[in-house]
């Protein structure tokens, strides 16, 4: 009987909207003072007229009890709720608007659509005409769909994958309620209502957003705004000076420092291209294509976290063969790990052969300067301005404020680059575990780089041994932990908890890095002694890399079929070997392109367009996650999952990142890199060159010069004209 009453209520609501569109249409056109907005104000009256036909005795109590609280222990809540109920019976505009902005029973339950979020803005706007402040609350009703059995109690879990809110199969209804009602009053009311249907009621501290909610500025926000303002002033001044006051002669220290902040100079450095024949010219394309792959996979990840009318379609999508590149997006991370090792060994050997001494302090300092400024800025923005200015909505607090609190609690793990081992369930920024992995490998690198330089046999025997050990570690990690192979995006909920132990740990990602170290060694010495390959060998290399590479990507689909049962040995073997096999395939592509066997692939990968894009890769990696996570957090209605619209959204995100990143790089990345380069040139390289030159002249004077010249040179030997 109650279901019939509810359906009748929905029909009355729909009929009232249709009535507005049909009745007196001529008056709408002819009335000069009439407009669409004013016509909407007639909805309460139209609704009252039609409801009198459907409900001669007034709106039924069962409906009023669902949308207005009764028997609240809080006097303010009880008073405001009673006022709302009586105004609704009289069809007063503000009360009808509160009811209209509340969610209704959603359609598409059989397609896993459990979210009826209502109209967030319409609800909060009621406060302007209502006799009290209002709030929009997401109330969740459980026990509609049972959770899968697993090693954890999903009723007590709110986040997965490093702090991302999990989209549970709970019926979630957005309700417009008086702001004087607290969470406990709301839960008590709906617990009594839901007990008749054997369902549970859940809310958390992020469920409600009040119309009069205020966010006072914090000291961290003030510091951030002051820093941004100060840096903007410096950049503007430096740019004006650089454009209008050309340098005359050798620039001084002050001018060099100011030039580091010139927007024009840094912009030219970003978009400057060089010859495609230079060594490692293909790496820029690998960087950009890899970060694009990451963006695509993260888009689908966040699509899993946001409500959709046909949510079931997403789970079915991952069983299809063409979804394999999305499921295997972690291979893009393996590309970065491979390039990390390659560049470390290649550039280290190049510097050592030029006579430079290895300075471990500068080795670490260079990496910190490259990463920390932009990283710290994004951490502070995550803790401050994003949650305030980016957007808002019924899910905003559940996503953004949760992450802000995580960031406040675990920011130190990011600064120390240990967030892939410590507080992994409270990541400040979901994707920054890779930066910790990268930095940990960088800090361990001197041991292996010096071994490569001093012991030639280390490359021949040591690197292969470490590659084998890395695969054994990855295999045992999966075997002992009984982690099923496959992607974290599409796995059953009961296996999501394996993420901190399987995906983000450094010891599980060592294979591609050691391959990169060996590849860098081979490519460096191939410059002096080119490697000759026959045509059949080249064809075999390309064939094997393509076959094994595609095999690694596509084989993941097998583990996501509904009919596939967990096989401990097979899953562990795949988890232990697939990253290494992929790294060998990519290594062949880089090797072939760098040694003259790349052909058309080399021309494409060395394309000049990729050079500036490759320089922007770090910025794109840092900013894309904020755009995607912010868009998901700002969802105000359930979407519809379709491949083509999702593809266009991904292209929009990539384009937005490409457009925004140069601006951010010129302000928050390039100046610090320039300052580091200036310090090295003036404080390390220049004094060394000066000492070497003086030593040559002193030796020449001692051998054939006059005593006066020798004394003069000795007197000037300690002179240092640098800023140090």
């Amino acid at each position: 009987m109650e279901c019939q009453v509810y359906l009748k209520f929905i029909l009355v609501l729909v009929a009232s909207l249709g009535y507005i569109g049909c009745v007196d249409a001529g008056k709408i056109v002819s009335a000069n003072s009439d407009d669409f907005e004013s016509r909407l104000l007639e909805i309460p009256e139209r609704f009252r007229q039609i409801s009198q036909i459907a409900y001669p005795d007034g709106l039924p109590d069962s409906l009023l009890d669902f949308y207005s609280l009764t028997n609240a222990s809080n006097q303010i809540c009880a008073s405001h709720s009673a006022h709302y109920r009586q105004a609704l019976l009289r069809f007063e505009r503000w009360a009808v608007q509160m009811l209209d902005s509340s969610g209704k029973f959603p359609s598409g339950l059989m397609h896993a659509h459990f979210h009826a979020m209502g109209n967030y803005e319409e609800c909060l706007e009621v406060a302007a005409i209502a006799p009290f402040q209002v709030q929009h609350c997401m109330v969740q009703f459980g026990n509609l769909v049972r959770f899968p059995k697993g090693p954890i109690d999903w009723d007590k879990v709110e986040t997965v994958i490093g702090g991302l809110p999990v989209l549970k199969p709970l019926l979630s209804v957005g309700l417009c309620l008086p702001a004087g009602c607290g969470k406990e009053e709301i839960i008590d009311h709906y617990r009594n209502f839901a007990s008749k249907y054997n369902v549970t009621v859940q809310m958390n501290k992020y469920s409600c957003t009040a119309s009069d909610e205020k966010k006072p500025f914090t000291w961290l926000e003030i510091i951030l705004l002051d820093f941004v303002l100060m840096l903007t002033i410096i950049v503007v001044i430096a740019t004006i000076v650089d454009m209008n006051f050309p340098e005359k002669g050798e620039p001084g220290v002050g001018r060099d420092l100011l030039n580091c902040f010139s927007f024009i100079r840094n912009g030219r450095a970003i978009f400057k291209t060089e010859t495609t024949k230079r060594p490692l010219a293909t790496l820029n394309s690998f960087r950009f294509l890899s970060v694009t792959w990451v963006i695509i996979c993260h888009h689908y990840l966040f699509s899993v976290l946001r409500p959709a009318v046909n949510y079931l379609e997403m789970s079915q999508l991952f069983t299809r063969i063409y979804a394999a590149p999305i499921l295997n997006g972690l291979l893009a991370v393996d590309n970065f790990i491979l390039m990390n090792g390659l560049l470390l060994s290649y550039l280290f050997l190049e510097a050592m052969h030029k006579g430079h001494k290895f300075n471990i302090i500068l080795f670490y300092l260079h990496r910190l300067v490259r990463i920390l400024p932009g990283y710290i800025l994004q951490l502070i923005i995550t803790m401050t301005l994003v949650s305030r200015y980016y957007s808002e909505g019924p899910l905003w607090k559940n996503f953004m404020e949760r992450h802000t609190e995580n960031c406040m609690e675990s920011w130190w793990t990011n600064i120390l680059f240990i967030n892939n081992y410590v507080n992994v369930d409270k990541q400040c920024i979901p994707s920054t575990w890779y930066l910790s992995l990268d930095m940990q490998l960088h800090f361990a690198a001197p041991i292996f780089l010096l071994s490569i330089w001093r012991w030639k046999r280390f490359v021949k025997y040591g690197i292969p041994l470490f590659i084998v050990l890395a695969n054994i570690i990855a295999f045992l990690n999966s075997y002992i932990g009984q982690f099923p192979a496959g992607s974290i995006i599409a796995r059953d909920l009961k296996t999501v908890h394996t993420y901190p132990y399987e995906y983000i740990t450094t010891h599980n990602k060592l294979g591609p890095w050691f391959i990169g170290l060996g590849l860098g060694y081979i490519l460096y010495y191939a410059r002096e002694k080119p490697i000759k390959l026959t045509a059949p060998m080249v064809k075999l290399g390309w064939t094997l890399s393509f076959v094994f590479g595609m095999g690694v990507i596509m084989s993941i689909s097998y583990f996501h079929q509904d009919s596939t049962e967990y096989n401990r040995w097979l899953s562990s073997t795949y988890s232990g070997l697939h990253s290494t096999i992929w790294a060998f395939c990519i290594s062949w592509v880089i090797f072939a392109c760098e040694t003259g066997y790349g052909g058309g692939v080399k021309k494409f990968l060395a394309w000049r367009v990729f050079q500036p894009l490759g320089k922007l890769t770090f910025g794109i990696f840092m900013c894309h996650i904020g755009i995607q996570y912010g868009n998901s957090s700002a969802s105000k209605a359930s979407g519809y999952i379709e491949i083509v619209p999702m593809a266009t959204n991904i292209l929009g995100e990539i384009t937005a990142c490409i457009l925004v990143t140069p601006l951010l790089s010129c302000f928050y990345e390039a100046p610090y890199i320039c300052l580091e380069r200036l310090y090295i040139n003036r404080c390390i390289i220049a004094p060394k060159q000066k000492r070497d030159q003086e030593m040559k002249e002193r030796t020449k004077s001692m051998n054939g010069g006059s005593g006066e010249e020798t004394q003069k040179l000795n007197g000037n030997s300690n002179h240092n004209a640098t800023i140090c």
Side-chain angles (χ1 to χ4, degrees), residues 58 71 82 87 124 131 139 197 215 268 283 337 355 360 373 377 379 404 407 470 495 505 547 589 609 632 670 704:
N71 302 321
L124 298 187
V139 182
Y197 305 102
K215 296 180 181 179
R268 289 172 180 169
L283 293 193
I337 298 173
I360 193 169
L377 180 70
L379 293 177
T404 298
C407 216
T495 60
T505 50
V547 171
V589 177
V609 173
S632 296

Side-chain angles (χ1 to χ4, degrees), residues 158-166 301-302 305 402-403 425 430 629:
E158 291 190 353
T159 60
V160 294
I161 312 180
L164 300 178
V166 59
L301 169 62
F302 290 123
L305 301 176
R402 184 192 301 274
H403 252 77
D425 58 335
Y629 192 66

Side-chain angles (χ1 to χ4, degrees), residues 19 42-54 91:
Y19 187 80
E42 299 178 3
I43 287 179
E45 176 61 22
R46 303 298 190 196
F47 187 59
R48 184 188 65 80
Q49 294 173 4
I50 298 176
S51 65
Q52 289 177 348
I53 301 174
F91 295 95

Side-chain angles (χ1 to χ4, degrees), residues 173-188:
V173 182
L175 298 170
C176 194
L177 302 170
C181 298
K183 184 182 72 172
E184 296 304 323
E185 284 85 15
I186 298 173
I187 291 177
D188 288 341

Side-chain angles (χ1 to χ4, degrees), residues 429-461:
I429 303 171
S431 62
T432 52
W433 61 266
Y434 170 73
L435 297 182
S436 294
L437 184 152
D438 180 272
M439 189 62 70
Q440 290 160 15
L441 291 175
H442 198 84
F443 273 92
I447 300 174
F448 301 98
L449 295 178
L450 292 174
S451 299
I452 290 173
W453 173 251
R454 293 179 178 177
W455 299 295
K456 302 301 182 181
R457 290 187 177 182
F458 180 79
V459 178
K460 188 175 181 181
Y461 300 107

Side-chain angles (χ1 to χ4, degrees), residues 247-310:
E247 300 173 8
K248 297 180 180 179
E250 188 71 19
V253 176
R255 184 59 183 268
D256 276 345
L257 291 173
L258 195 62
N259 286 341
C260 286
F261 293 88
S262 172
F263 187 87
I264 298 297
R265 191 177 292 257
N266 289 329
R268 289 172 180 169
I270 291 174
F271 291 101
K272 180 183 178 182
T273 60
E274 301 175 356
T275 176
T276 59
K277 296 181 180 180
R278 65 184 182 86
L280 305 182
T282 58
L283 293 193
N284 284 313
S285 60
F286 275 104
R287 289 193 192 99
F288 177 71
L289 294 176
S290 297
V291 81
T292 300
W293 194 355
V294 169
I295 293 175
I296 294 172
C297 296
H298 280 166
H299 181 90
Y300 282 91
L301 169 62
F302 290 123
S303 297
V304 173
L305 301 176
R306 62 201 302 182
V309 175
N310 60 335

Side-chain angles (χ1 to χ4, degrees), residues 108-114 167 303-304 306-320 562 639-641:
L109 289 175
M110 302 298 290
H111 278 210
H113 177 219
F114 302 121
L167 194 64
S303 297
V304 173
R306 62 201 302 182
V309 175
N310 60 335
Y311 191 80
L312 186 63
E313 180 72 17
M314 180 60 74
S315 61
Q316 294 175 344
L317 168 67
F318 294 130
T319 64
R320 296 165 187 165
D562 295 333
Y640 197 89
I641 296 173

Side-chain angles (χ1 to χ4, degrees), residues 564-615:
T564 301
E565 296 183 0
Y566 172 65
N567 183 301
R568 193 173 184 180
W569 279 96
L570 183 61
S571 290
S572 302
T573 301
Y574 179 85
S575 299
L577 293 177
H578 80 287
S579 290
T580 299
I581 295 174
W582 174 259
F584 275 120
C585 295
I586 298 301
S587 296
W588 164 260
V589 177
I590 297 174
F591 170 81
C593 292
E594 293 298 320
T595 54
Y597 302 105
V601 177
K602 161 74 172 182
K603 292 181 180 179
F604 172 74
L605 295 178
W607 192 17
R608 287 178 181 267
V609 173
F610 285 123
Q611 293 186 22
L613 294 175
K615 298 173 187 176

